[in-house]
PDB file of all heavy atoms in Angstrom:
ATOM      1  N   ALA A  24      22.927 131.966 166.449  1.00  0.00           N
ATOM      2  CA  ALA A  24      24.088 131.832 165.591  1.00  0.00           C
ATOM      3  C   ALA A  24      23.744 132.061 164.125  1.00  0.00           C
ATOM      4  O   ALA A  24      24.613 132.209 163.292  1.00  0.00           O
ATOM      5  CB  ALA A  24      24.709 130.450 165.765  1.00  0.00           C
ATOM      6  N   LYS A  50      36.375 144.877 187.638  1.00  0.00           N
ATOM      7  CA  LYS A  50      35.109 145.329 187.085  1.00  0.00           C
ATOM      8  C   LYS A  50      34.647 146.596 187.765  1.00  0.00           C
ATOM      9  O   LYS A  50      34.705 146.713 188.963  1.00  0.00           O
ATOM     10  CB  LYS A  50      34.041 144.250 187.229  1.00  0.00           C
ATOM     11  CG  LYS A  50      32.729 144.663 186.576  1.00  0.00           C
ATOM     12  CD  LYS A  50      31.778 143.505 186.518  1.00  0.00           C
ATOM     13  CE  LYS A  50      30.520 143.890 185.798  1.00  0.00           C
ATOM     14  NZ  LYS A  50      29.576 142.799 185.688  1.00  0.00           N
ATOM     15  N   GLN A  85      36.165 164.166 161.272  1.00  0.00           N
ATOM     16  CA  GLN A  85      37.202 165.086 160.848  1.00  0.00           C
ATOM     17  C   GLN A  85      38.145 165.353 162.005  1.00  0.00           C
ATOM     18  O   GLN A  85      37.747 165.496 163.141  1.00  0.00           O
ATOM     19  CB  GLN A  85      36.577 166.398 160.363  1.00  0.00           C
ATOM     20  CG  GLN A  85      35.732 166.192 159.101  1.00  0.00           C
ATOM     21  CD  GLN A  85      35.209 167.493 158.576  1.00  0.00           C
ATOM     22  OE1 GLN A  85      35.551 168.549 159.083  1.00  0.00           O
ATOM     23  NE2 GLN A  85      34.389 167.430 157.541  1.00  0.00           N
ATOM     24  N   GLU A 152      47.517 154.343 176.631  1.00  0.00           N
ATOM     25  CA  GLU A 152      48.416 155.276 177.295  1.00  0.00           C
ATOM     26  C   GLU A 152      49.855 154.775 177.267  1.00  0.00           C
ATOM     27  O   GLU A 152      50.180 153.748 177.858  1.00  0.00           O
ATOM     28  CB  GLU A 152      47.958 155.504 178.732  1.00  0.00           C
ATOM     29  CG  GLU A 152      46.593 156.185 178.813  1.00  0.00           C
ATOM     30  CD  GLU A 152      46.188 156.494 180.232  1.00  0.00           C
ATOM     31  OE1 GLU A 152      46.507 155.677 181.125  1.00  0.00           O
ATOM     32  OE2 GLU A 152      45.590 157.551 180.474  1.00  0.00           O
ATOM     33  N   ASN A 168      31.854 142.587 160.661  1.00  0.00           N
ATOM     34  CA  ASN A 168      31.652 143.869 161.322  1.00  0.00           C
ATOM     35  C   ASN A 168      32.743 144.182 162.327  1.00  0.00           C
ATOM     36  O   ASN A 168      32.593 145.089 163.147  1.00  0.00           O
ATOM     37  CB  ASN A 168      30.292 143.878 162.038  1.00  0.00           C
ATOM     38  CG  ASN A 168      29.138 143.826 161.065  1.00  0.00           C
ATOM     39  OD1 ASN A 168      29.297 144.139 159.887  1.00  0.00           O
ATOM     40  ND2 ASN A 168      27.966 143.422 161.540  1.00  0.00           N
ATOM     41  N   ILE A 195      28.837 153.002 172.789  1.00  0.00           N
ATOM     42  CA  ILE A 195      27.990 153.945 172.070  1.00  0.00           C
ATOM     43  C   ILE A 195      27.033 153.138 171.208  1.00  0.00           C
ATOM     44  O   ILE A 195      27.281 151.976 170.901  1.00  0.00           O
ATOM     45  CB  ILE A 195      28.820 154.906 171.186  1.00  0.00           C
ATOM     46  CG1 ILE A 195      29.671 154.112 170.184  1.00  0.00           C
ATOM     47  CG2 ILE A 195      29.677 155.829 172.029  1.00  0.00           C
ATOM     48  CD1 ILE A 195      30.400 154.988 169.182  1.00  0.00           C
ATOM     49  N   VAL A 216      33.843 145.956 167.512  1.00  0.00           N
ATOM     50  CA  VAL A 216      32.779 145.145 166.913  1.00  0.00           C
ATOM     51  C   VAL A 216      31.572 146.038 166.645  1.00  0.00           C
ATOM     52  O   VAL A 216      30.970 146.579 167.575  1.00  0.00           O
ATOM     53  CB  VAL A 216      32.384 143.976 167.833  1.00  0.00           C
ATOM     54  CG1 VAL A 216      31.309 143.122 167.169  1.00  0.00           C
ATOM     55  CG2 VAL A 216      33.603 143.138 168.179  1.00  0.00           C
ATOM     56  N   LEU A 233      48.582 156.257 171.857  1.00  0.00           N
ATOM     57  CA  LEU A 233      47.870 155.962 170.619  1.00  0.00           C
ATOM     58  C   LEU A 233      46.383 156.209 170.835  1.00  0.00           C
ATOM     59  O   LEU A 233      45.800 155.737 171.819  1.00  0.00           O
ATOM     60  CB  LEU A 233      48.091 154.508 170.205  1.00  0.00           C
ATOM     61  CG  LEU A 233      49.451 154.131 169.634  1.00  0.00           C
ATOM     62  CD1 LEU A 233      49.474 152.645 169.310  1.00  0.00           C
ATOM     63  CD2 LEU A 233      49.759 154.933 168.392  1.00  0.00           C
ATOM     64  N   GLY A 402      53.009 116.661 191.384  1.00  0.00           N
ATOM     65  CA  GLY A 402      51.863 116.791 190.488  1.00  0.00           C
ATOM     66  C   GLY A 402      51.615 118.183 189.968  1.00  0.00           C
ATOM     67  O   GLY A 402      51.239 118.369 188.810  1.00  0.00           O
ATOM     68  N   GLY A 421      24.853 140.714 197.440  1.00  0.00           N
ATOM     69  CA  GLY A 421      24.352 139.452 196.940  1.00  0.00           C
ATOM     70  C   GLY A 421      23.690 138.618 198.009  1.00  0.00           C
ATOM     71  O   GLY A 421      23.975 138.765 199.211  1.00  0.00           O
ATOM     72  N   SER A 437      34.438 148.398 196.952  1.00  0.00           N
ATOM     73  CA  SER A 437      35.785 148.807 196.583  1.00  0.00           C
ATOM     74  C   SER A 437      35.765 150.209 195.998  1.00  0.00           C
ATOM     75  O   SER A 437      34.711 150.712 195.592  1.00  0.00           O
ATOM     76  CB  SER A 437      36.397 147.824 195.581  1.00  0.00           C
ATOM     77  OG  SER A 437      37.766 148.104 195.373  1.00  0.00           O
ATOM     78  N   SER A 532      40.993 130.590 210.347  1.00  0.00           N
ATOM     79  CA  SER A 532      42.219 130.947 209.629  1.00  0.00           C
ATOM     80  C   SER A 532      42.297 132.459 209.505  1.00  0.00           C
ATOM     81  O   SER A 532      41.316 133.108 209.112  1.00  0.00           O
ATOM     82  CB  SER A 532      42.234 130.317 208.233  1.00  0.00           C
ATOM     83  OG  SER A 532      42.466 128.933 208.291  1.00  0.00           O
ATOM     84  N   PHE A 535      47.343 137.516 206.791  1.00  0.00           N
ATOM     85  CA  PHE A 535      47.651 138.935 206.652  1.00  0.00           C
ATOM     86  C   PHE A 535      49.083 139.103 206.173  1.00  0.00           C
ATOM     87  O   PHE A 535      49.920 138.200 206.308  1.00  0.00           O
ATOM     88  CB  PHE A 535      47.418 139.680 207.968  1.00  0.00           C
ATOM     89  CG  PHE A 535      48.096 139.081 209.175  1.00  0.00           C
ATOM     90  CD1 PHE A 535      49.354 139.512 209.579  1.00  0.00           C
ATOM     91  CD2 PHE A 535      47.470 138.082 209.903  1.00  0.00           C
ATOM     92  CE1 PHE A 535      49.969 138.963 210.686  1.00  0.00           C
ATOM     93  CE2 PHE A 535      48.087 137.516 211.013  1.00  0.00           C
ATOM     94  CZ  PHE A 535      49.333 137.957 211.405  1.00  0.00           C
ATOM     95  N   ILE A 595      61.898 138.229 198.696  1.00  0.00           N
ATOM     96  CA  ILE A 595      62.338 139.419 197.972  1.00  0.00           C
ATOM     97  C   ILE A 595      62.936 138.952 196.658  1.00  0.00           C
ATOM     98  O   ILE A 595      63.700 137.981 196.623  1.00  0.00           O
ATOM     99  CB  ILE A 595      63.348 140.251 198.805  1.00  0.00           C
ATOM    100  CG1 ILE A 595      63.671 141.558 198.081  1.00  0.00           C
ATOM    101  CG2 ILE A 595      64.600 139.463 199.127  1.00  0.00           C
ATOM    102  CD1 ILE A 595      64.414 142.558 198.952  1.00  0.00           C
ATOM    103  N   ASP A 639      18.862 100.251 210.932  1.00  0.00           N
ATOM    104  CA  ASP A 639      18.058 100.953 211.942  1.00  0.00           C
ATOM    105  C   ASP A 639      19.000 101.645 212.927  1.00  0.00           C
ATOM    106  O   ASP A 639      19.132 101.230 214.081  1.00  0.00           O
ATOM    107  CB  ASP A 639      17.139  99.970 212.664  1.00  0.00           C
ATOM    108  CG  ASP A 639      16.189 100.674 213.631  1.00  0.00           C
ATOM    109  OD1 ASP A 639      15.960 101.892 213.437  1.00  0.00           O
ATOM    110  OD2 ASP A 639      15.711 100.011 214.573  1.00  0.00           O
ATOM    111  N   PRO A 647      30.912 110.217 226.287  1.00  0.00           N
ATOM    112  CA  PRO A 647      31.904 109.489 227.094  1.00  0.00           C
ATOM    113  C   PRO A 647      32.896 110.451 227.733  1.00  0.00           C
ATOM    114  O   PRO A 647      32.930 111.645 227.420  1.00  0.00           O
ATOM    115  CB  PRO A 647      32.577 108.587 226.066  1.00  0.00           C
ATOM    116  CG  PRO A 647      32.474 109.352 224.786  1.00  0.00           C
ATOM    117  CD  PRO A 647      31.164 110.084 224.846  1.00  0.00           C
ATOM    118  N   VAL A 706      61.728 112.745 220.939  1.00  0.00           N
ATOM    119  CA  VAL A 706      62.291 113.891 220.237  1.00  0.00           C
ATOM    120  C   VAL A 706      63.217 113.375 219.136  1.00  0.00           C
ATOM    121  O   VAL A 706      64.205 112.699 219.408  1.00  0.00           O
ATOM    122  CB  VAL A 706      63.050 114.825 221.192  1.00  0.00           C
ATOM    123  CG1 VAL A 706      63.654 115.994 220.420  1.00  0.00           C
ATOM    124  CG2 VAL A 706      62.117 115.332 222.293  1.00  0.00           C
ATOM    125  N   LEU A 771      39.732 131.495 166.164  1.00  0.00           N
ATOM    126  CA  LEU A 771      38.691 132.534 166.111  1.00  0.00           C
ATOM    127  C   LEU A 771      39.229 133.872 166.582  1.00  0.00           C
ATOM    128  O   LEU A 771      38.667 134.525 167.469  1.00  0.00           O
ATOM    129  CB  LEU A 771      37.484 132.111 166.968  1.00  0.00           C
ATOM    130  CG  LEU A 771      36.877 130.746 166.652  1.00  0.00           C
ATOM    131  CD1 LEU A 771      35.733 130.446 167.606  1.00  0.00           C
ATOM    132  CD2 LEU A 771      36.399 130.685 165.210  1.00  0.00           C
ATOM    133  N   ILE A 805      62.018 101.184 203.791  1.00  0.00           N
ATOM    134  CA  ILE A 805      63.198 101.393 202.959  1.00  0.00           C
ATOM    135  C   ILE A 805      62.801 102.308 201.801  1.00  0.00           C
ATOM    136  O   ILE A 805      61.619 102.419 201.451  1.00  0.00           O
ATOM    137  CB  ILE A 805      63.772 100.069 202.425  1.00  0.00           C
ATOM    138  CG1 ILE A 805      62.731  99.328 201.573  1.00  0.00           C
ATOM    139  CG2 ILE A 805      64.274  99.192 203.560  1.00  0.00           C
ATOM    140  CD1 ILE A 805      63.278  98.085 200.915  1.00  0.00           C
ATOM    141  N   ILE A 919      19.878 130.660 188.758  1.00  0.00           N
ATOM    142  CA  ILE A 919      19.564 129.380 189.399  1.00  0.00           C
ATOM    143  C   ILE A 919      20.610 128.381 188.931  1.00  0.00           C
ATOM    144  O   ILE A 919      20.770 128.160 187.728  1.00  0.00           O
ATOM    145  CB  ILE A 919      18.156 128.887 189.036  1.00  0.00           C
ATOM    146  CG1 ILE A 919      17.095 129.874 189.548  1.00  0.00           C
ATOM    147  CG2 ILE A 919      17.904 127.505 189.614  1.00  0.00           C
ATOM    148  CD1 ILE A 919      15.683 129.516 189.123  1.00  0.00           C
ATOM    149  N   MET A 921      22.019 124.446 189.284  1.00  0.00           N
ATOM    150  CA  MET A 921      21.671 123.089 189.700  1.00  0.00           C
ATOM    151  C   MET A 921      22.887 122.188 189.522  1.00  0.00           C
ATOM    152  O   MET A 921      23.501 122.175 188.450  1.00  0.00           O
ATOM    153  CB  MET A 921      20.498 122.569 188.875  1.00  0.00           C
ATOM    154  CG  MET A 921      19.196 123.297 189.164  1.00  0.00           C
ATOM    155  SD  MET A 921      17.920 123.020 187.895  1.00  0.00           S
ATOM    156  CE  MET A 921      18.510 124.109 186.593  1.00  0.00           C
ATOM    157  N   ASP A 926      20.690 113.410 189.981  1.00  0.00           N
ATOM    158  CA  ASP A 926      20.777 112.838 191.325  1.00  0.00           C
ATOM    159  C   ASP A 926      21.527 111.503 191.342  1.00  0.00           C
ATOM    160  O   ASP A 926      21.093 110.528 191.966  1.00  0.00           O
ATOM    161  CB  ASP A 926      19.370 112.652 191.896  1.00  0.00           C
ATOM    162  CG  ASP A 926      19.400 112.516 193.424  1.00  0.00           C
ATOM    163  OD1 ASP A 926      20.336 113.068 194.043  1.00  0.00           O
ATOM    164  OD2 ASP A 926      18.510 111.860 193.974  1.00  0.00           O
TER     165      ASP A 926
END
Side-chain angles (χ1 to χ4, degrees):
K50 184 170 184 179
Q85 295 184 5
E152 295 184 324
N168 293 340
I195 58 174
V216 182
L233 286 179
S437 189
S532 287
F535 52 93
I595 186 168
D639 185 22
V706 179
L771 306 178
I805 60 175
I919 297 175
M921 292 164 283
D926 199 28

